C-alpha cells in the first residue's frame, strides 16, 4: 500500500485540494458579471417596483378596468365596412330592381295614346319590356276572342320587326340604339292595335268602315313610334323616314286583325 501511495502522488504533482474546489464553486454562484445575478443575502429588496419580474418570467397582466356586462369596445366598424350597411331601408324596391316602374309605364302609355304630345327622351330610352309583353298578350287575347289563335305569329313578327328596325335605326342615327329600346318602343306602340282587334270581335273590318278604321290605327301606331324614336335618338327632321318602316310593321299586325 505504501508503494501504491507513492505512485499516486508521483503521477501528478499539484497544489490543488478539495477545499479549493468548494471555494471556487461558491465564487461561481456569486459571480457579478451578469447585472441580474446578485448574491442572496437573506433579505428582500423592497425598493423594486411591484411589476418587477426577473428575466425569463411572464410579466403580470394588466387588471380589467371595464364592467362585466358592458365590455369596453376596442373596434368600431365604419359604415363603409359594415356588411349590411344601414339595413334594408336603403335598398330599392323589388319591382325597381327588376326594371318595372309603373310610373314610367303609365307615362309611356299616355305618350302612345296622345300622338301629338311631346315625348320624354330620357324615359323612352329605357329598355322596359314589362309593358310590351302585356300588350302583346292582350293583342293575342283579343284575337283569340274573335276565333284567331295567332300567338305564334304575333311574337314571330314582333321579333323580326324589332330586328329590322334595330338595324335601320343604327344606320340612320348618330348615337345608336339598343335592341331592348327598340323592342320597348314598338311594343308600347302596339296599344292602338289592341283597340283594332277589339273592334274585330264586335264587327267585321272587311268593309269600308273597317278599311278606314284600320288605316287610322296603322297611322296612329306608326306616328307614335316615330315620334318616340326621333325624341330618344335626337333625329330631328327624320320622322317621316322612321314612320314608313314602322307603318309597314304595324300593317302586318293589322292584316292579322282584319283577316
Amino acid at each position: 500500500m505504501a508503494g501504491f501511495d507513492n505512485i499516486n502522488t508521483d503521477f501528478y504533482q499539484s497544489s490543488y485540494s478539495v477545499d479549493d474546489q468548494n471555494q471556487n464553486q461558491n465564487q461561481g454562484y456569486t459571480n457579478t458579471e451578469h447585472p441580474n445575478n446578485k448574491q442572496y443575502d437573506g433579505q428582500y429588496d423592497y425598493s423594486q417596483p411591484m411589476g418587477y419580474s426577473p428575466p425569463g418570467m411572464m410579466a403580470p397582466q394588466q387588471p380589467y378596468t371595464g364592467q362585466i356586462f358592458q365590455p369596453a369596445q376596442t373596434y368600431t366598424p365604419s359604415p363603409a365596412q359594415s356588411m349590411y350597411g344601414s339595413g334594408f331601408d336603403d335598398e330599392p324596391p323589388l319591382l325597381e330592381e327588376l326594371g318595372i316602374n309603373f310610373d314610367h309605364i303609365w307615362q309611356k302609355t299616355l305618350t302612345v295614346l296622345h300622338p301629338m304630345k311631346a315625348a320624354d327622351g330620357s324615359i323612352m330610352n329605357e329598355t322596359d319590356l314589362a309593358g310590351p309583353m302585356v300588350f302583346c298578350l292582350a293583342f293575342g287575347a283579343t284575337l283569340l276572342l274573335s276565333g284567331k289563335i295567332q300567338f305564334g305569329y304575333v311574337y314571330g313578327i314582333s321579333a323580326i320587326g324589332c330586328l329590322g328596325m334595330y338595324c335601320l335605326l343604327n344606320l340612320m342615327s348618330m348615337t345608336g340604339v339598343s335592341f331592348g329600346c327598340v323592342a320597348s318602343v314598338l311594343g308600347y306602340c302596339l296599344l292602338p292595335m289592341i283597340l283594332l282587334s277589339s273592334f274585330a270581335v264586335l264587327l267585321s273590318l272587311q268593309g269600308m268602315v273597317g278599311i278606314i278604321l284600320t288605316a287610322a290605327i296603322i297611322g296612329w301606331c306608326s306616328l307614335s313610334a316615330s315620334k318616340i324614336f326621333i325624341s330618344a335618338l335626337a333625329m330631328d327632321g327624320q320622322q317621316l323616314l322612321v314612320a314608313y318602316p314602322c307603318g309597314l310593321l304595324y300593317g302586318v299586325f293589322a292584316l292579322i286583325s282584319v283577316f
Side-chain angles (χ1 to χ4, degrees):
M1 293 296 293
F4 178 76
D5 292 336
N6 294 329
I7 295 174
N8 190 14
T9 56
D10 294 338
F11 179 74
Y12 180 75
Q13 297 294 331
S14 175
S15 61
Y16 180 79
S17 64
V18 178
D19 296 335
D20 295 335
Q21 181 179 2
N22 294 332
Q23 184 178 0
N24 292 332
Q25 290 179 357
N26 293 331
Q27 291 179 359
Y29 283 112
T30 60
N31 187 15
T32 59
E33 292 180 358
H34 197 279
N36 293 324
N37 291 336
K38 296 182 179 180
Q39 184 178 2
Y40 178 73
D41 55 356
Q43 295 181 359
Y44 179 75
D45 188 5
Y46 290 96
S47 62
Q48 297 291 341
M50 295 298 294
Y52 172 77
S53 60
M57 296 182 63
M58 183 181 297
Q61 298 181 355
Q62 295 294 331
Y64 179 71
T65 58
Q67 298 181 4
I68 297 177
F69 296 102
Q70 295 180 358
Q73 186 176 1
T74 58
Y75 173 73
T76 303
S78 60
Q81 295 177 352
S82 180
M83 182 179 298
Y84 297 102
S86 59
F88 295 98
D89 297 335
D90 297 337
E91 293 187 0
L94 179 60
L95 294 178
E96 185 176 350
E97 291 184 355
L98 296 176
I100 301 175
N101 193 330
F102 289 104
D103 187 22
H104 290 180
I105 291 175
W106 178 248
Q107 292 181 12
K108 291 179 182 179
T109 304
L110 292 179
T111 303
V112 173
L113 293 177
H114 198 296
M116 301 303 175
K117 180 181 178 181
D120 189 0
S122 61
I123 297 178
M124 297 304 168
N125 204 13
E126 297 178 354
T127 58
D128 175 26
L129 298 179
M133 292 295 294
V134 173
F135 292 158
C136 287
L137 289 175
F139 182 61
T142 53
L143 291 177
L144 185 62
L145 292 176
S146 60
K148 302 174 184 178
I149 306 176
Q150 306 290 349
F151 285 98
Y153 286 102
V154 171
Y155 286 106
I157 294 172
S158 299
I160 295 174
C162 291
L163 182 60
M165 287 298 300
Y166 169 73
C167 297
L168 182 62
L169 291 175
N170 280 323
L171 293 175
M172 295 177 63
S173 64
M174 299 297 294
T175 58
V177 64
S178 62
F179 183 81
C181 179
V182 174
S184 177
V185 172
L186 294 178
Y188 274 104
C189 294
L190 191 64
L191 180 59
M193 199 61 60
I194 299 175
L195 300 177
L196 181 64
S197 60
S198 299
F199 288 137
V201 178
L202 303 176
L203 50 92
S204 178
L205 298 177
Q206 296 182 5
M208 183 59 64
V209 178
I211 294 175
I212 296 175
L213 184 59
T214 301
I217 294 296
I218 293 174
W220 188 357
C221 293
S222 59
L223 182 62
S224 299
S226 60
K227 176 191 65 176
I228 295 174
F229 279 132
I230 63 172
S231 63
L233 302 177
M235 300 171 60
D236 298 333
Q238 303 183 27
Q239 185 172 2
L240 294 178
L241 295 176
V242 178
Y244 176 71
C246 293
L248 294 178
L249 175 61
Y250 291 112
V252 177
F253 289 117
L255 292 176
I256 297 176
S257 301
V258 173
F259 302 102

